mmCIF file of all heavy atoms in Angstrom:
data_model
loop_
_atom_site.group_PDB
_atom_site.id
_atom_site.type_symbol
_atom_site.label_atom_id
_atom_site.label_comp_id
_atom_site.label_asym_id
_atom_site.label_seq_id
_atom_site.Cartn_x
_atom_site.Cartn_y
_atom_site.Cartn_z
ATOM 1 N N PRO I 159 -106.463 -55.130 64.010
ATOM 2 C CA PRO I 159 -105.426 -55.774 63.225
ATOM 3 C C PRO I 159 -105.036 -54.890 62.024
ATOM 4 O O PRO I 159 -105.595 -54.965 60.920
ATOM 5 C CB PRO I 159 -105.975 -57.123 62.749
ATOM 6 C CG PRO I 159 -107.465 -56.961 62.835
ATOM 7 C CD PRO I 159 -107.667 -56.018 63.931
ATOM 8 N N LEU I 160 -103.989 -54.138 62.234
ATOM 9 C CA LEU I 160 -103.460 -53.258 61.102
ATOM 10 C C LEU I 160 -101.964 -53.591 60.984
ATOM 11 O O LEU I 160 -101.210 -53.795 61.897
ATOM 12 C CB LEU I 160 -103.579 -51.732 61.529
ATOM 13 C CG LEU I 160 -105.006 -51.215 61.750
ATOM 14 C CD1 LEU I 160 -104.918 -49.799 62.218
ATOM 15 C CD2 LEU I 160 -105.761 -51.301 60.461
ATOM 16 N N THR I 161 -101.591 -53.655 59.700
ATOM 17 C CA THR I 161 -100.215 -53.939 59.354
ATOM 18 C C THR I 161 -99.315 -52.756 59.277
ATOM 19 O O THR I 161 -99.877 -51.562 59.225
ATOM 20 C CB THR I 161 -100.099 -54.674 57.911
ATOM 21 O OG1 THR I 161 -100.643 -53.750 57.014
ATOM 22 C CG2 THR I 161 -100.885 -55.958 57.967
ATOM 23 N N PRO I 162 -97.988 -52.793 59.408
ATOM 24 C CA PRO I 162 -97.129 -51.620 59.306
ATOM 25 C C PRO I 162 -97.331 -50.748 58.072
ATOM 26 O O PRO I 162 -97.414 -49.540 58.198
ATOM 27 C CB PRO I 162 -95.742 -52.190 59.377
ATOM 28 C CG PRO I 162 -95.883 -53.419 60.124
ATOM 29 C CD PRO I 162 -97.230 -53.967 59.754
ATOM 30 N N PRO I 163 -97.558 -51.366 56.867
ATOM 31 C CA PRO I 163 -97.828 -50.523 55.710
ATOM 32 C C PRO I 163 -99.143 -49.715 55.782
ATOM 33 O O PRO I 163 -99.138 -48.525 55.296
ATOM 34 C CB PRO I 163 -97.839 -51.513 54.551
ATOM 35 C CG PRO I 163 -96.942 -52.681 54.959
ATOM 36 C CD PRO I 163 -97.250 -52.778 56.448
ATOM 37 N N GLN I 164 -100.119 -50.294 56.325
ATOM 38 C CA GLN I 164 -101.320 -49.597 56.544
ATOM 39 C C GLN I 164 -101.225 -48.352 57.451
ATOM 40 O O GLN I 164 -101.533 -47.269 57.095
ATOM 41 C CB GLN I 164 -102.438 -50.566 57.186
ATOM 42 C CG GLN I 164 -103.029 -51.433 56.244
ATOM 43 C CD GLN I 164 -104.096 -52.317 56.915
ATOM 44 O OE1 GLN I 164 -103.786 -53.292 57.642
ATOM 45 N NE2 GLN I 164 -105.385 -52.019 56.661
ATOM 46 N N ILE I 165 -100.520 -48.621 58.591
ATOM 47 C CA ILE I 165 -100.392 -47.464 59.494
ATOM 48 C C ILE I 165 -99.496 -46.402 58.934
ATOM 49 O O ILE I 165 -99.722 -45.168 59.080
ATOM 50 C CB ILE I 165 -99.703 -48.005 60.902
ATOM 51 C CG1 ILE I 165 -100.636 -49.063 61.516
ATOM 52 C CG2 ILE I 165 -99.410 -46.905 61.824
ATOM 53 C CD1 ILE I 165 -99.974 -49.783 62.684
ATOM 54 N N GLY I 166 -98.427 -46.836 58.197
ATOM 55 C CA GLY I 166 -97.564 -45.809 57.517
ATOM 56 C C GLY I 166 -98.254 -45.055 56.475
ATOM 57 O O GLY I 166 -98.062 -43.878 56.309
ATOM 58 N N GLN I 167 -99.152 -45.705 55.734
ATOM 59 C CA GLN I 167 -100.015 -45.055 54.738
ATOM 60 C C GLN I 167 -100.863 -43.965 55.389
ATOM 61 O O GLN I 167 -100.921 -42.789 54.916
ATOM 62 C CB GLN I 167 -100.846 -46.047 54.023
ATOM 63 C CG GLN I 167 -101.863 -45.395 52.987
ATOM 64 C CD GLN I 167 -102.949 -46.310 52.596
ATOM 65 O OE1 GLN I 167 -103.955 -45.969 52.090
ATOM 66 N NE2 GLN I 167 -102.740 -47.628 52.824
ATOM 67 N N TYR I 168 -101.543 -44.371 56.466
ATOM 68 C CA TYR I 168 -102.475 -43.420 57.115
ATOM 69 C C TYR I 168 -101.656 -42.169 57.618
ATOM 70 O O TYR I 168 -102.124 -41.006 57.487
ATOM 71 C CB TYR I 168 -103.291 -44.024 58.194
ATOM 72 C CG TYR I 168 -104.053 -45.315 57.777
ATOM 73 C CD1 TYR I 168 -104.303 -46.277 58.703
ATOM 74 C CD2 TYR I 168 -104.485 -45.531 56.481
ATOM 75 C CE1 TYR I 168 -104.973 -47.450 58.363
ATOM 76 C CE2 TYR I 168 -105.126 -46.691 56.057
ATOM 77 C CZ TYR I 168 -105.434 -47.626 57.023
ATOM 78 O OH TYR I 168 -106.084 -48.782 56.659
ATOM 79 N N ALA I 169 -100.581 -42.445 58.263
ATOM 80 C CA ALA I 169 -99.834 -41.359 58.859
ATOM 81 C C ALA I 169 -99.231 -40.466 57.830
ATOM 82 O O ALA I 169 -99.325 -39.240 57.941
ATOM 83 C CB ALA I 169 -98.598 -41.988 59.678
ATOM 84 N N ALA I 170 -98.719 -41.042 56.756
ATOM 85 C CA ALA I 170 -98.095 -40.212 55.590
ATOM 86 C C ALA I 170 -99.171 -39.259 54.986
ATOM 87 O O ALA I 170 -98.934 -38.104 54.663
ATOM 88 C CB ALA I 170 -97.440 -41.118 54.588
ATOM 89 N N VAL I 171 -100.410 -39.876 54.756
ATOM 90 C CA VAL I 171 -101.437 -39.076 54.093
ATOM 91 C C VAL I 171 -101.880 -37.870 54.962
ATOM 92 O O VAL I 171 -102.017 -36.719 54.479
ATOM 93 C CB VAL I 171 -102.576 -39.976 53.726
ATOM 94 C CG1 VAL I 171 -103.825 -39.161 53.312
ATOM 95 C CG2 VAL I 171 -102.244 -40.862 52.634
ATOM 96 N N ILE I 172 -102.076 -38.112 56.293
ATOM 97 C CA ILE I 172 -102.599 -37.039 57.016
ATOM 98 C C ILE I 172 -101.522 -35.993 57.330
ATOM 99 O O ILE I 172 -101.714 -34.794 57.491
ATOM 100 C CB ILE I 172 -103.244 -37.498 58.403
ATOM 101 C CG1 ILE I 172 -102.249 -38.108 59.294
ATOM 102 C CG2 ILE I 172 -104.400 -38.466 58.129
ATOM 103 C CD1 ILE I 172 -102.817 -38.448 60.733
ATOM 104 N N ILE I 173 -100.291 -36.500 57.379
ATOM 105 C CA ILE I 173 -99.092 -35.492 57.567
ATOM 106 C C ILE I 173 -99.107 -34.591 56.382
ATOM 107 O O ILE I 173 -99.014 -33.301 56.504
ATOM 108 C CB ILE I 173 -97.815 -36.239 57.726
ATOM 109 C CG1 ILE I 173 -97.724 -36.914 59.066
ATOM 110 C CG2 ILE I 173 -96.638 -35.222 57.585
ATOM 111 C CD1 ILE I 173 -96.535 -37.842 59.244
ATOM 112 N N GLY I 174 -99.121 -35.177 55.130
ATOM 113 C CA GLY I 174 -99.091 -34.318 53.956
ATOM 114 C C GLY I 174 -100.186 -33.363 53.761
ATOM 115 O O GLY I 174 -99.937 -32.270 53.460
ATOM 116 N N LEU I 175 -101.445 -33.834 54.029
ATOM 117 C CA LEU I 175 -102.577 -32.928 53.882
ATOM 118 C C LEU I 175 -102.563 -31.828 55.021
ATOM 119 O O LEU I 175 -102.985 -30.671 54.727
ATOM 120 C CB LEU I 175 -103.862 -33.745 54.030
ATOM 121 C CG LEU I 175 -104.184 -34.748 52.955
ATOM 122 C CD1 LEU I 175 -105.435 -35.566 53.240
ATOM 123 C CD2 LEU I 175 -104.322 -33.981 51.593
ATOM 124 N N THR I 176 -102.096 -32.138 56.214
ATOM 125 C CA THR I 176 -102.121 -31.107 57.310
ATOM 126 C C THR I 176 -101.076 -30.100 56.918
ATOM 127 O O THR I 176 -101.316 -28.858 57.132
ATOM 128 C CB THR I 176 -101.780 -31.789 58.619
ATOM 129 O OG1 THR I 176 -102.721 -32.819 58.896
ATOM 130 C CG2 THR I 176 -101.831 -30.777 59.738
ATOM 131 N N VAL I 177 -99.830 -30.470 56.422
ATOM 132 C CA VAL I 177 -98.831 -29.490 56.060
ATOM 133 C C VAL I 177 -99.417 -28.559 55.044
ATOM 134 O O VAL I 177 -99.197 -27.330 55.067
ATOM 135 C CB VAL I 177 -97.579 -30.203 55.610
ATOM 136 C CG1 VAL I 177 -96.676 -29.252 54.949
ATOM 137 C CG2 VAL I 177 -96.863 -30.901 56.674
ATOM 138 N N LEU I 178 -100.108 -29.059 54.022
ATOM 139 C CA LEU I 178 -100.629 -28.228 52.940
ATOM 140 C C LEU I 178 -101.764 -27.274 53.467
ATOM 141 O O LEU I 178 -101.791 -26.193 52.994
ATOM 142 C CB LEU I 178 -101.224 -29.140 51.838
ATOM 143 C CG LEU I 178 -100.205 -29.868 51.090
ATOM 144 C CD1 LEU I 178 -100.926 -30.885 50.128
ATOM 145 C CD2 LEU I 178 -99.266 -28.945 50.271
ATOM 146 N N LEU I 179 -102.567 -27.717 54.404
ATOM 147 C CA LEU I 179 -103.554 -26.935 55.048
ATOM 148 C C LEU I 179 -102.890 -25.727 55.819
ATOM 149 O O LEU I 179 -103.354 -24.578 55.806
ATOM 150 C CB LEU I 179 -104.486 -27.723 55.962
ATOM 151 C CG LEU I 179 -105.520 -28.592 55.378
ATOM 152 C CD1 LEU I 179 -106.304 -29.281 56.424
ATOM 153 C CD2 LEU I 179 -106.359 -27.878 54.375
ATOM 154 N N VAL I 180 -101.725 -26.010 56.472
ATOM 155 C CA VAL I 180 -101.080 -24.962 57.164
ATOM 156 C C VAL I 180 -100.468 -23.917 56.102
ATOM 157 O O VAL I 180 -100.625 -22.758 56.354
ATOM 158 C CB VAL I 180 -99.883 -25.485 57.997
ATOM 159 C CG1 VAL I 180 -98.995 -24.409 58.474
ATOM 160 C CG2 VAL I 180 -100.397 -26.306 59.126
ATOM 161 N N LEU I 181 -99.941 -24.395 55.042
ATOM 162 C CA LEU I 181 -99.412 -23.510 54.011
ATOM 163 C C LEU I 181 -100.525 -22.697 53.397
ATOM 164 O O LEU I 181 -100.371 -21.566 52.980
ATOM 165 C CB LEU I 181 -98.630 -24.287 52.953
ATOM 166 C CG LEU I 181 -97.379 -25.030 53.398
ATOM 167 C CD1 LEU I 181 -96.718 -25.776 52.250
ATOM 168 C CD2 LEU I 181 -96.360 -24.011 53.995
ATOM 169 N N GLY I 182 -101.698 -23.241 53.261
ATOM 170 C CA GLY I 182 -102.821 -22.558 52.661
ATOM 171 C C GLY I 182 -103.645 -21.746 53.717
ATOM 172 O O GLY I 182 -104.692 -21.128 53.495
ATOM 173 N N ARG I 183 -103.110 -21.683 55.015
ATOM 174 C CA ARG I 183 -103.718 -20.935 56.055
ATOM 175 C C ARG I 183 -105.158 -21.357 56.286
ATOM 176 O O ARG I 183 -105.937 -20.549 56.632
ATOM 177 C CB ARG I 183 -103.683 -19.437 55.778
ATOM 178 C CG ARG I 183 -102.207 -18.809 55.727
ATOM 179 C CD ARG I 183 -102.243 -17.412 55.375
ATOM 180 N NE ARG I 183 -100.783 -16.948 55.288
ATOM 181 C CZ ARG I 183 -100.507 -15.611 55.057
ATOM 182 N NH1 ARG I 183 -101.500 -14.766 54.819
ATOM 183 N NH2 ARG I 183 -99.194 -15.339 54.985
ATOM 184 N N ARG I 184 -105.364 -22.702 56.259
ATOM 185 C CA ARG I 184 -106.713 -23.179 56.586
ATOM 186 C C ARG I 184 -106.734 -23.849 57.983
ATOM 187 O O ARG I 184 -107.747 -24.233 58.362
ATOM 188 C CB ARG I 184 -107.081 -24.285 55.535
ATOM 189 C CG ARG I 184 -107.310 -23.700 54.161
ATOM 190 C CD ARG I 184 -108.427 -22.650 54.054
ATOM 191 N NE ARG I 184 -108.571 -22.082 52.724
ATOM 192 C CZ ARG I 184 -109.432 -22.612 51.869
ATOM 193 N NH1 ARG I 184 -110.115 -23.756 52.175
ATOM 194 N NH2 ARG I 184 -109.576 -22.160 50.670
ATOM 195 N N THR I 185 -105.626 -23.870 58.677
ATOM 196 C CA THR I 185 -105.535 -24.338 60.004
ATOM 197 C C THR I 185 -104.296 -23.582 60.707
ATOM 198 O O THR I 185 -103.445 -23.143 60.029
ATOM 199 C CB THR I 185 -105.374 -25.850 60.050
ATOM 200 O OG1 THR I 185 -105.528 -26.245 61.425
ATOM 201 C CG2 THR I 185 -104.031 -26.306 59.567
ATOM 202 N N ASP I 186 -104.343 -23.609 62.023
ATOM 203 C CA ASP I 186 -103.215 -22.959 62.761
ATOM 204 C C ASP I 186 -102.098 -23.946 63.010
ATOM 205 O O ASP I 186 -102.323 -25.240 62.948
ATOM 206 C CB ASP I 186 -103.720 -22.359 64.016
ATOM 207 C CG ASP I 186 -104.272 -23.440 64.928
ATOM 208 O OD1 ASP I 186 -105.544 -23.718 64.783
ATOM 209 O OD2 ASP I 186 -103.637 -23.980 65.778
#
Side-chain angles (χ1 to χ4, degrees):
L160 297 174
T161 62
Q164 283 181 281
I165 299 171
Q167 175 197 162
Y168 306 153
V171 167
I172 68 171
I173 290 169
L175 291 176
T176 303
V177 168
L178 292 174
L179 288 182
V180 171
L181 295 180
R183 297 181 180 179
R184 297 297 181 91
T185 189
D186 59 273

